[in-house]
Amino acid sequence: MTLYRLVGYPVLAKVIREKYSDFTEEQVMVGERRSVLYWGRTPDKPVKWADTVAGLSGASIELATGVAAAVLVIPGSDNDEAAADFAWAMTFGMGFHLLDQRYVDSGFGQRVAIRCADPARLNSITRVTLDESAKTDRSSIPVGASLRSFGFEDIGELATRVVASGTIDGIGPDGKPVTIRGADALSLPLSKQPSEFLANLDRLVEILDRAPASEELADLERLVLIRDKTLIDELDDMLVDALDAEAPKRLSIAWPHEAVDEFGLAQAFKVTGAGYRGISDGLPTLADLLEPIKKAGPEAWKKRLNDVGVLLYESTDPDGIVSPRMPVRKWLTFEVERDDHRYFMHSGRWYLMDQSYADTVTTRTREIFGRPAPIASPPRWEASMDEAAYNEALTTSLGGLLLDRKLINGETKKGKFEACDVLLKGGTFIHVKHVSSSAPASHLLAQALVSTEVLTHDKKARTDLRRRIREAGHDPADYECKPKRSSWFWPRRKTPSTRPVCSPSPRSTSADRIGS
Protein backbone atom coordinates (compact mmCIF):
# COMPACT_ATOMS: atom_id res chain seq x y z
CA MET A 1 0.00 0.00 0.00
CA THR A 2 1.09 3.57 -0.62
CA LEU A 3 0.81 5.86 2.37
CA TYR A 4 1.27 9.62 2.69
CA ARG A 5 1.43 11.78 5.80
CA LEU A 6 -0.44 15.08 5.51
CA VAL A 7 0.33 18.21 7.53
CA GLY A 8 -0.68 21.87 7.50
CA TYR A 9 -4.13 21.36 5.96
CA PRO A 10 -7.07 23.47 7.19
CA VAL A 11 -9.62 20.61 7.15
CA LEU A 12 -9.56 17.10 5.72
CA ALA A 13 -11.79 18.12 2.83
CA LYS A 14 -9.08 20.48 1.58
CA VAL A 15 -6.45 17.78 1.03
CA ILE A 16 -8.11 16.83 -2.28
CA ARG A 17 -7.47 18.99 -5.33
CA GLU A 18 -10.42 21.02 -6.58
CA LYS A 19 -10.15 19.36 -9.97
CA TYR A 20 -11.52 16.18 -8.41
CA SER A 21 -14.28 17.78 -6.38
CA ASP A 22 -16.85 15.83 -8.39
CA PHE A 23 -15.51 12.53 -7.07
CA THR A 24 -17.63 10.82 -4.45
CA GLU A 25 -16.91 11.92 -0.89
CA GLU A 26 -18.03 9.41 1.70
CA GLN A 27 -17.80 9.51 5.48
CA VAL A 28 -16.53 6.13 6.70
CA MET A 29 -15.23 4.46 9.84
CA VAL A 30 -11.81 2.78 9.82
CA GLY A 31 -12.02 0.77 13.00
CA GLU A 32 -13.08 3.39 15.53
CA ARG A 33 -11.60 6.32 13.66
CA ARG A 34 -13.88 8.60 11.64
CA SER A 35 -12.36 9.04 8.17
CA VAL A 36 -13.16 10.23 4.65
CA LEU A 37 -13.05 8.19 1.45
CA TYR A 38 -12.77 9.89 -1.93
CA TRP A 39 -13.28 7.73 -4.98
CA GLY A 40 -14.25 7.96 -8.60
CA ARG A 41 -13.29 7.53 -12.20
CA THR A 42 -12.47 10.00 -14.93
CA PRO A 43 -14.85 9.92 -17.95
CA ASP A 44 -14.09 7.27 -20.55
CA LYS A 45 -12.34 8.67 -23.60
CA PRO A 46 -11.10 6.96 -26.79
CA VAL A 47 -7.58 5.63 -26.32
CA LYS A 48 -5.11 8.11 -27.75
CA TRP A 49 -3.28 5.55 -29.90
CA ALA A 50 -6.40 4.39 -31.82
CA ASP A 51 -5.79 6.86 -34.66
CA THR A 52 -2.18 5.70 -35.02
CA VAL A 53 -3.28 2.07 -35.27
CA ALA A 54 -5.92 3.00 -37.85
CA GLY A 55 -3.42 5.00 -39.89
CA LEU A 56 -0.91 2.14 -39.97
CA SER A 57 -3.24 -0.82 -40.39
CA GLY A 58 -6.43 0.60 -41.86
CA ALA A 59 -8.39 -1.08 -39.04
CA SER A 60 -10.60 1.03 -36.85
CA ILE A 61 -10.33 0.39 -33.09
CA GLU A 62 -13.14 1.58 -30.87
CA LEU A 63 -11.79 1.44 -27.34
CA ALA A 64 -12.30 3.88 -24.50
CA THR A 65 -10.73 4.08 -21.08
CA GLY A 66 -10.86 6.11 -17.90
CA VAL A 67 -8.76 6.34 -14.75
CA ALA A 68 -9.99 4.89 -11.46
CA ALA A 69 -8.70 6.37 -8.21
CA ALA A 70 -9.41 6.42 -4.49
CA VAL A 71 -7.94 8.09 -1.41
CA LEU A 72 -8.72 7.11 2.15
CA VAL A 73 -7.96 10.01 4.52
CA ILE A 74 -7.61 9.09 8.20
CA PRO A 75 -6.98 11.48 11.10
CA GLY A 76 -3.70 10.87 12.85
CA SER A 77 -5.36 10.15 16.18
CA ASP A 78 -8.68 9.96 18.05
CA ASN A 79 -12.09 10.18 16.44
CA ASP A 80 -12.08 13.95 16.30
CA GLU A 81 -10.50 15.40 13.17
CA ALA A 82 -9.71 18.69 14.94
CA ALA A 83 -7.73 16.86 17.63
CA ALA A 84 -5.18 15.49 15.14
CA ASP A 85 -2.35 17.67 13.90
CA PHE A 86 -1.70 15.36 10.96
CA ALA A 87 -3.55 12.84 8.83
CA TRP A 88 -2.82 9.73 6.83
CA ALA A 89 -3.72 9.38 3.16
CA MET A 90 -3.81 5.90 1.67
CA THR A 91 -3.96 6.05 -2.13
CA PHE A 92 -5.26 3.42 -4.53
CA GLY A 93 -4.93 3.30 -8.30
CA MET A 94 -4.18 6.83 -9.48
CA GLY A 95 -5.24 8.24 -6.14
CA PHE A 96 -2.00 10.17 -5.65
CA HIS A 97 -3.24 12.52 -8.38
CA LEU A 98 -6.05 13.60 -6.07
CA LEU A 99 -3.82 14.85 -3.25
CA ASP A 100 -2.92 18.51 -2.95
CA GLN A 101 0.87 18.31 -2.79
CA ARG A 102 1.08 21.40 -0.58
CA TYR A 103 -0.01 19.27 2.37
CA VAL A 104 2.17 16.23 1.75
CA ASP A 105 4.82 15.74 4.47
CA SER A 106 7.97 15.72 2.32
CA GLY A 107 10.38 12.88 3.03
CA PHE A 108 8.03 11.08 5.43
CA GLY A 109 8.52 7.68 3.78
CA GLN A 110 12.26 8.05 3.66
CA ARG A 111 12.43 8.91 7.36
CA VAL A 112 10.60 5.67 8.16
CA ALA A 113 12.87 3.65 5.85
CA ILE A 114 16.01 5.08 7.46
CA ARG A 115 14.76 3.94 10.88
CA CYS A 116 13.67 0.45 9.85
CA ALA A 117 16.11 -0.65 7.17
CA ASP A 118 18.72 -3.33 7.61
CA PRO A 119 21.89 -1.21 7.14
CA ALA A 120 23.43 -3.99 5.05
CA ARG A 121 20.37 -4.52 2.81
CA LEU A 122 19.86 -1.24 0.96
CA ASN A 123 18.60 -1.86 -2.57
CA SER A 124 18.30 1.60 -4.10
CA ILE A 125 19.26 5.19 -3.29
CA THR A 126 18.05 8.27 -5.17
CA ARG A 127 20.06 11.39 -4.46
CA VAL A 128 20.37 14.99 -5.58
CA THR A 129 23.66 16.88 -5.80
CA LEU A 130 23.20 20.22 -4.08
CA ASP A 131 24.60 22.62 -6.62
CA GLU A 132 23.29 24.59 -9.57
CA SER A 133 23.03 21.49 -11.76
CA ALA A 134 20.85 19.73 -9.13
CA LYS A 135 21.75 16.38 -10.70
CA THR A 136 19.45 13.52 -9.73
CA ASP A 137 21.00 10.05 -9.67
CA ARG A 138 19.46 6.66 -8.79
CA SER A 139 21.71 3.70 -7.96
CA SER A 140 20.47 0.14 -7.45
CA ILE A 141 22.06 -3.01 -6.04
CA PRO A 142 19.44 -5.80 -6.28
CA VAL A 143 21.05 -8.11 -3.70
CA GLY A 144 21.38 -5.29 -1.16
CA ALA A 145 24.44 -3.55 0.24
CA SER A 146 25.56 -0.95 2.76
CA LEU A 147 25.35 2.77 2.11
CA ARG A 148 29.12 2.87 1.55
CA SER A 149 28.70 0.69 -1.55
CA PHE A 150 26.45 3.32 -3.15
CA GLY A 151 29.13 6.02 -2.90
CA PHE A 152 26.81 8.41 -1.09
CA GLU A 153 28.51 11.66 -0.05
CA ASP A 154 27.06 12.91 3.22
CA ILE A 155 28.36 16.40 2.44
CA GLY A 156 26.67 18.08 -0.50
CA GLU A 157 24.23 15.31 -1.45
CA LEU A 158 20.59 14.92 -0.47
CA ALA A 159 18.87 11.53 -0.47
CA THR A 160 15.29 11.69 -1.74
CA ARG A 161 14.29 8.02 -1.95
CA VAL A 162 15.42 4.83 -0.21
CA VAL A 163 14.49 1.23 -0.98
CA ALA A 164 15.64 -1.37 1.53
CA SER A 165 14.81 -4.60 3.28
CA GLY A 166 14.01 -4.51 6.98
CA THR A 167 12.14 -6.16 9.79
CA ILE A 168 9.50 -4.06 11.57
CA ASP A 169 7.92 -5.33 14.77
CA GLY A 170 4.15 -5.29 14.39
CA ILE A 171 4.13 -4.73 10.62
CA GLY A 172 4.25 -7.49 8.02
CA PRO A 173 4.89 -11.19 8.68
CA ASP A 174 6.31 -11.78 12.15
CA GLY A 175 10.09 -11.89 12.11
CA LYS A 176 10.32 -11.74 8.32
CA PRO A 177 11.90 -8.87 6.40
CA VAL A 178 9.74 -6.67 4.18
CA THR A 179 10.63 -4.31 1.37
CA ILE A 180 10.37 -0.67 2.44
CA ARG A 181 10.15 2.03 -0.24
CA GLY A 182 10.41 5.50 1.20
CA ALA A 183 10.33 8.95 -0.39
CA ASP A 184 7.52 11.42 0.23
CA ALA A 185 5.25 8.38 0.27
CA LEU A 186 5.83 5.13 2.10
CA SER A 187 5.18 1.77 0.49
CA LEU A 188 5.16 -1.36 2.64
CA PRO A 189 2.75 -4.24 3.39
CA LEU A 190 0.28 -2.87 5.95
CA SER A 191 -2.53 -4.96 7.37
CA LYS A 192 -5.89 -5.07 5.57
CA GLN A 193 -7.84 -5.51 8.84
CA PRO A 194 -9.08 -2.14 10.22
CA SER A 195 -7.94 -2.53 13.82
CA GLU A 196 -4.54 -3.95 12.84
CA PHE A 197 -4.19 -1.32 10.13
CA LEU A 198 -4.67 1.48 12.69
CA ALA A 199 -2.16 -0.26 14.95
CA ASN A 200 0.29 -0.24 12.03
CA LEU A 201 -0.20 3.51 11.63
CA ASP A 202 0.35 4.09 15.33
CA ARG A 203 3.49 1.98 15.07
CA LEU A 204 4.78 4.28 12.32
CA VAL A 205 4.32 7.27 14.65
CA GLU A 206 6.54 5.52 17.19
CA ILE A 207 9.13 4.71 14.53
CA LEU A 208 9.40 8.35 13.49
CA ASP A 209 10.49 9.20 17.03
CA ARG A 210 13.35 6.69 16.90
CA ALA A 211 16.95 7.27 15.89
CA PRO A 212 18.12 5.99 12.47
CA ALA A 213 18.91 2.28 12.31
CA SER A 214 22.67 2.99 12.13
CA GLU A 215 25.16 5.84 12.19
CA GLU A 216 25.71 5.24 8.48
CA LEU A 217 22.01 5.62 7.68
CA ALA A 218 21.95 8.77 9.79
CA ASP A 219 24.16 10.29 7.05
CA LEU A 220 21.08 10.32 4.82
CA GLU A 221 19.61 12.93 7.18
CA ARG A 222 22.75 14.90 7.94
CA LEU A 223 21.52 17.99 6.12
CA VAL A 224 19.51 19.98 8.62
CA LEU A 225 15.89 20.58 7.61
CA ILE A 226 14.79 24.09 8.50
CA ARG A 227 11.59 24.13 10.57
CA ASP A 228 11.73 27.66 11.96
CA LYS A 229 8.82 29.40 10.19
CA THR A 230 10.32 32.85 10.69
CA LEU A 231 13.59 31.77 9.08
CA ILE A 232 11.72 30.03 6.25
CA ASP A 233 9.80 33.24 5.53
CA GLU A 234 13.07 35.21 5.43
CA LEU A 235 14.66 32.69 3.09
CA ASP A 236 11.56 32.74 0.89
CA ASP A 237 11.90 36.53 0.70
CA MET A 238 15.46 36.05 -0.54
CA LEU A 239 14.15 33.62 -3.16
CA VAL A 240 11.61 36.20 -4.32
CA ASP A 241 14.40 38.80 -4.56
CA ALA A 242 16.36 36.39 -6.74
CA LEU A 243 13.36 35.91 -9.03
CA ASP A 244 13.33 39.65 -9.63
CA ALA A 245 16.88 39.62 -11.00
CA GLU A 246 17.35 39.78 -14.75
CA ALA A 247 19.60 36.69 -14.62
CA PRO A 248 18.90 34.87 -11.34
CA LYS A 249 22.01 33.38 -9.75
CA ARG A 250 22.11 30.00 -8.01
CA LEU A 251 18.56 29.36 -9.16
CA SER A 252 17.72 26.30 -11.24
CA ILE A 253 15.16 23.52 -11.54
CA ALA A 254 15.25 19.87 -10.51
CA TRP A 255 12.82 17.00 -10.72
CA PRO A 256 10.55 16.94 -7.66
CA HIS A 257 10.49 13.69 -5.71
CA GLU A 258 7.08 12.84 -7.12
CA ALA A 259 8.25 13.18 -10.74
CA VAL A 260 11.48 11.16 -10.71
CA ASP A 261 9.74 7.91 -11.63
CA GLU A 262 8.03 9.64 -14.55
CA PHE A 263 11.30 10.86 -16.05
CA GLY A 264 11.48 9.31 -19.52
CA LEU A 265 7.70 8.99 -19.76
CA ALA A 266 7.02 12.71 -19.75
CA GLN A 267 7.24 14.42 -23.12
CA ALA A 268 4.98 17.42 -22.49
CA PHE A 269 3.82 19.64 -19.65
CA LYS A 270 1.10 22.06 -18.66
CA VAL A 271 1.27 25.04 -16.31
CA THR A 272 -1.87 25.33 -14.18
CA GLY A 273 -3.28 28.15 -12.08
CA ALA A 274 -1.80 30.89 -14.26
CA GLY A 275 -4.45 31.31 -16.93
CA TYR A 276 -2.70 29.02 -19.42
CA ARG A 277 -4.77 26.26 -20.99
CA GLY A 278 -2.61 24.51 -23.54
CA ILE A 279 -0.15 21.65 -23.18
CA SER A 280 3.41 22.44 -24.27
CA ASP A 281 5.69 19.96 -25.98
CA GLY A 282 8.95 19.05 -24.24
CA LEU A 283 9.89 19.54 -20.59
CA PRO A 284 9.58 22.75 -18.55
CA THR A 285 12.51 25.15 -18.39
CA LEU A 286 13.25 27.69 -15.68
CA ALA A 287 11.77 30.42 -17.89
CA ASP A 288 8.56 28.39 -18.35
CA LEU A 289 8.14 28.26 -14.57
CA LEU A 290 9.09 31.83 -13.74
CA GLU A 291 7.00 33.55 -16.42
CA PRO A 292 3.60 32.68 -14.87
CA ILE A 293 4.90 33.60 -11.41
CA LYS A 294 5.87 37.07 -12.63
CA LYS A 295 2.52 37.75 -14.28
CA ALA A 296 1.45 39.27 -10.95
CA GLY A 297 3.26 41.91 -8.90
CA PRO A 298 6.28 40.92 -6.75
CA GLU A 299 4.16 41.05 -3.60
CA ALA A 300 2.22 38.02 -4.89
CA TRP A 301 5.17 35.93 -6.06
CA LYS A 302 5.67 34.02 -2.83
CA LYS A 303 2.04 32.88 -2.85
CA ARG A 304 2.08 32.07 -6.56
CA LEU A 305 5.03 29.72 -6.08
CA ASN A 306 2.52 27.39 -4.39
CA ASP A 307 -0.58 28.30 -6.40
CA VAL A 308 0.92 27.83 -9.86
CA GLY A 309 1.60 24.18 -10.64
CA VAL A 310 2.93 21.84 -13.31
CA LEU A 311 1.46 18.65 -14.77
CA LEU A 312 3.52 16.22 -16.85
CA TYR A 313 2.11 14.36 -19.86
CA GLU A 314 3.22 11.52 -22.09
CA SER A 315 2.44 13.69 -25.10
CA THR A 316 0.43 16.75 -25.99
CA ASP A 317 -2.69 14.57 -25.72
CA PRO A 318 -4.60 15.79 -22.63
CA ASP A 319 -5.41 12.19 -21.66
CA GLY A 320 -1.76 11.25 -21.24
CA ILE A 321 -1.15 12.71 -17.80
CA VAL A 322 1.65 10.95 -15.89
CA SER A 323 2.19 13.03 -12.76
CA PRO A 324 0.25 14.76 -10.00
CA ARG A 325 0.05 18.53 -10.02
CA MET A 326 3.23 19.85 -8.43
CA PRO A 327 3.63 23.47 -7.30
CA VAL A 328 6.35 25.46 -9.04
CA ARG A 329 8.03 25.82 -5.65
CA LYS A 330 8.81 22.08 -5.69
CA TRP A 331 10.56 22.39 -9.05
CA LEU A 332 12.97 25.12 -7.99
CA THR A 333 16.41 24.72 -6.45
CA PHE A 334 18.04 27.76 -4.89
CA GLU A 335 21.16 28.36 -2.83
CA VAL A 336 21.64 31.45 -0.71
CA GLU A 337 23.98 32.70 2.01
CA ARG A 338 22.73 34.39 5.15
CA ASP A 339 24.66 35.21 8.34
CA ASP A 340 27.68 33.17 7.19
CA HIS A 341 25.54 30.09 6.58
CA ARG A 342 24.52 28.50 3.30
CA TYR A 343 20.94 27.35 2.75
CA PHE A 344 19.62 25.22 -0.08
CA MET A 345 16.01 24.82 -1.20
CA HIS A 346 15.03 21.56 -2.87
CA SER A 347 11.57 20.12 -3.49
CA GLY A 348 10.02 23.05 -1.65
CA ARG A 349 11.97 22.69 1.58
CA TRP A 350 14.94 24.58 3.02
CA TYR A 351 18.10 22.88 4.31
CA LEU A 352 21.07 24.22 6.23
CA MET A 353 24.14 22.99 4.36
CA ASP A 354 27.10 24.05 6.50
CA GLN A 355 26.07 23.06 9.99
CA SER A 356 28.27 20.22 11.32
CA TYR A 357 30.52 20.31 8.22
CA ALA A 358 33.68 20.55 10.31
CA ASP A 359 32.31 17.98 12.76
CA THR A 360 31.52 15.65 9.87
CA VAL A 361 35.02 15.91 8.41
CA THR A 362 36.57 15.36 11.85
CA THR A 363 34.37 12.34 12.50
CA ARG A 364 35.18 10.79 9.12
CA THR A 365 38.91 11.32 9.67
CA ARG A 366 38.76 9.67 13.08
CA GLU A 367 36.87 6.72 11.60
CA ILE A 368 39.50 6.27 8.91
CA PHE A 369 42.45 6.35 11.29
CA GLY A 370 40.56 4.35 13.88
CA ARG A 371 40.14 1.32 11.63
CA PRO A 372 42.31 -1.75 12.41
CA ALA A 373 45.65 -1.77 10.62
CA PRO A 374 45.51 -3.95 7.48
CA ILE A 375 48.67 -5.72 8.59
CA ALA A 376 48.77 -6.52 12.27
CA SER A 377 52.56 -6.68 12.76
CA PRO A 378 54.60 -5.26 9.89
CA PRO A 379 58.38 -5.38 10.31
CA ARG A 380 60.16 -2.36 11.74
CA TRP A 381 61.58 0.20 9.35
CA GLU A 382 65.15 0.33 10.56
CA ALA A 383 67.11 3.55 10.26
CA SER A 384 69.52 1.93 7.80
CA MET A 385 66.74 0.86 5.39
CA ASP A 386 65.69 2.59 2.22
CA GLU A 387 62.29 1.95 0.67
CA ALA A 388 63.54 -0.93 -1.53
CA ALA A 389 65.11 -2.71 1.44
CA TYR A 390 61.98 -2.33 3.48
CA ASN A 391 59.81 -3.77 0.70
CA GLU A 392 62.03 -6.85 0.64
CA ALA A 393 61.71 -7.25 4.41
CA LEU A 394 57.93 -6.80 4.19
CA THR A 395 57.68 -9.42 1.42
CA THR A 396 59.62 -11.95 3.49
CA SER A 397 57.61 -11.20 6.64
CA LEU A 398 54.20 -11.59 4.98
CA GLY A 399 55.03 -14.31 2.48
CA GLY A 400 54.06 -12.02 -0.35
CA LEU A 401 55.26 -11.33 -3.87
CA LEU A 402 57.64 -8.40 -4.41
CA LEU A 403 56.48 -6.18 -7.29
CA ASP A 404 58.34 -3.00 -6.37
CA ARG A 405 59.36 -1.19 -9.59
CA LYS A 406 57.83 -3.98 -11.72
CA LEU A 407 55.84 -1.73 -14.03
CA ILE A 408 52.87 -2.90 -16.12
CA ASN A 409 50.86 -1.53 -19.05
CA GLY A 410 47.12 -1.03 -19.52
CA GLU A 411 44.80 0.28 -22.20
CA THR A 412 43.12 2.95 -20.10
CA LYS A 413 46.25 4.66 -18.74
CA LYS A 414 49.03 6.26 -20.73
CA GLY A 415 52.44 4.97 -19.74
CA LYS A 416 53.45 2.26 -17.30
CA PHE A 417 52.47 2.11 -13.65
CA GLU A 418 53.21 0.06 -10.56
CA ALA A 419 50.50 -2.42 -9.56
CA CYS A 420 51.77 -2.36 -5.96
CA ASP A 421 54.92 -2.89 -3.92
CA VAL A 422 53.89 -6.21 -2.36
CA LEU A 423 51.08 -8.51 -3.52
CA LEU A 424 49.41 -10.98 -1.17
CA LYS A 425 47.14 -13.84 -2.09
CA GLY A 426 43.46 -13.00 -1.84
CA GLY A 427 43.66 -9.65 -3.62
CA THR A 428 45.59 -7.53 -1.09
CA PHE A 429 47.71 -4.94 -2.90
CA ILE A 430 50.16 -3.20 -0.54
CA HIS A 431 51.62 0.21 -1.40
CA VAL A 432 54.50 1.47 0.73
CA LYS A 433 55.95 4.96 1.03
CA HIS A 434 58.48 6.45 3.45
CA VAL A 435 56.57 9.51 4.61
CA SER A 436 58.32 12.58 5.90
CA SER A 437 55.95 15.20 4.47
CA SER A 438 52.59 15.54 2.73
CA ALA A 439 54.03 15.17 -0.79
CA PRO A 440 54.98 11.45 -0.54
CA ALA A 441 51.72 10.76 1.28
CA SER A 442 49.79 12.29 -1.62
CA HIS A 443 51.87 10.23 -4.05
CA LEU A 444 50.99 7.07 -2.10
CA LEU A 445 47.27 7.78 -2.31
CA ALA A 446 47.44 8.60 -6.02
CA GLN A 447 49.46 5.46 -6.73
CA ALA A 448 47.01 3.23 -4.90
CA LEU A 449 43.98 4.87 -6.52
CA VAL A 450 45.37 4.56 -10.06
CA SER A 451 46.28 0.92 -9.47
CA THR A 452 42.84 0.11 -8.09
CA GLU A 453 40.90 1.80 -10.88
CA VAL A 454 42.99 0.45 -13.76
CA LEU A 455 43.26 -3.13 -12.49
CA THR A 456 39.54 -3.19 -11.74
CA HIS A 457 38.44 -2.12 -15.20
CA ASP A 458 41.36 -2.83 -17.56
CA LYS A 459 41.73 -6.40 -18.83
CA LYS A 460 45.08 -5.69 -20.50
CA ALA A 461 46.54 -4.41 -17.24
CA ARG A 462 45.47 -7.59 -15.41
CA THR A 463 47.01 -9.69 -18.18
CA ASP A 464 50.29 -7.80 -17.85
CA LEU A 465 50.19 -8.25 -14.07
CA ARG A 466 49.89 -12.02 -14.57
CA ARG A 467 53.00 -11.84 -16.77
CA ARG A 468 54.91 -10.18 -13.95
CA ILE A 469 53.73 -12.86 -11.51
CA ARG A 470 54.99 -15.62 -13.86
CA GLU A 471 58.32 -13.86 -14.30
CA ALA A 472 58.71 -13.89 -10.51
CA GLY A 473 58.32 -17.68 -10.56
CA HIS A 474 54.78 -17.82 -9.19
CA ASP A 475 51.51 -19.21 -10.56
CA PRO A 476 49.10 -16.36 -11.50
CA ALA A 477 46.19 -18.64 -10.56
CA ASP A 478 47.25 -18.27 -6.92
CA TYR A 479 46.72 -14.51 -6.99
CA GLU A 480 43.71 -12.28 -7.49
CA CYS A 481 44.54 -9.57 -10.02
CA LYS A 482 41.65 -7.32 -9.04
CA PRO A 483 42.15 -5.48 -5.72
CA LYS A 484 39.72 -6.88 -3.15
CA ARG A 485 40.91 -5.80 0.29
CA SER A 486 39.83 -2.40 1.63
CA SER A 487 41.79 -0.53 4.30
CA TRP A 488 43.59 2.73 4.94
CA PHE A 489 47.06 4.06 5.70
CA TRP A 490 48.46 5.32 8.97
CA PRO A 491 51.16 8.03 9.16
CA ARG A 492 54.80 7.47 9.91
CA ARG A 493 56.16 8.80 13.18
CA LYS A 494 59.15 11.11 12.91
CA THR A 495 61.52 8.69 14.65
CA PRO A 496 63.69 6.59 12.32
CA SER A 497 62.50 3.22 13.64
CA THR A 498 58.81 3.30 12.97
CA ARG A 499 56.25 1.52 10.85
CA PRO A 500 55.85 2.57 7.22
CA VAL A 501 52.72 3.73 5.54
CA CYS A 502 51.11 0.56 4.20
CA SER A 503 47.89 0.77 2.25
CA PRO A 504 46.23 -2.12 0.43
CA SER A 505 44.26 -0.74 -2.49
CA PRO A 506 40.55 -0.77 -1.77
CA ARG A 507 37.74 -2.38 -3.68
CA SER A 508 36.61 -0.66 -6.82
CA THR A 509 33.59 1.05 -5.34
CA SER A 510 33.70 4.81 -5.18
CA ALA A 511 32.75 4.84 -1.49
CA ASP A 512 35.85 2.82 -0.57
CA ARG A 513 38.46 4.60 -2.63
CA ILE A 514 41.48 5.97 -0.92
CA GLY A 515 40.43 9.46 -1.95
CA SER A 516 38.40 9.50 1.24
Side-chain angles (χ1 to χ4, degrees), residues 314-335:
E314 287 182 324
S315 67
T316 53
D317 188 321
D319 295 332
I321 187 170
V322 296
S323 80
R325 177 191 177 279
M326 293 165 287
V328 167
R329 180 185 178 89
K330 286 201 169 188
W331 284 85
L332 298 180
T333 65
F334 179 57
E335 181 182 333

Side-chain angles (χ1 to χ4, degrees), residues 434-470:
H434 191 283
V435 172
S436 57
S437 65
S438 61
S442 297
H443 177 75
L444 171 71
L445 297 178
Q447 182 185 51
L449 180 58
V450 168
S451 170
T452 299
E453 290 187 330
V454 176
L455 287 171
T456 297
H457 302 290
D458 192 324
K459 181 179 179 181
K460 181 180 177 181
R462 294 194 295 271
T463 299
D464 209 24
L465 175 57
R466 294 186 185 97
R467 175 182 63 84
R468 286 295 192 183
I469 294 173
R470 284 192 296 269

Side-chain angles (χ1 to χ4, degrees), residues 272-283:
T272 66
Y276 301 148
R277 294 189 177 184
I279 298 174
S280 301
D281 196 15
L283 298 174

Side-chain angles (χ1 to χ4, degrees), residues 226 230-240 334 336 338 343 350-351:
I226 304 300
T230 300
L231 177 56
I232 291 173
D233 285 339
E234 294 174 356
L235 294 173
D236 283 348
D237 290 338
M238 298 178 76
L239 170 61
V240 169
F334 179 57
V336 67
R338 178 183 180 276
Y343 298 90
W350 284 101
Y351 297 88

Side-chain angles (χ1 to χ4, degrees), residues 375 377-405 421-424 430 432 498-500 502:
I375 302 168
S377 300
R380 292 174 63 87
W381 192 309
E382 303 296 344
S384 60
M385 287 182 174
D386 60 11
E387 191 172 304
Y390 183 81
N391 283 333
E392 292 179 0
L394 183 64
T395 300
T396 301
S397 174
L398 301 179
L401 174 60
L402 181 64
L403 293 178
D404 183 22
R405 290 173 288 188
D421 291 302
V422 179
L423 177 63
L424 303 183
I430 303 176
V432 178
T498 185
R499 296 184 294 183
C502 297

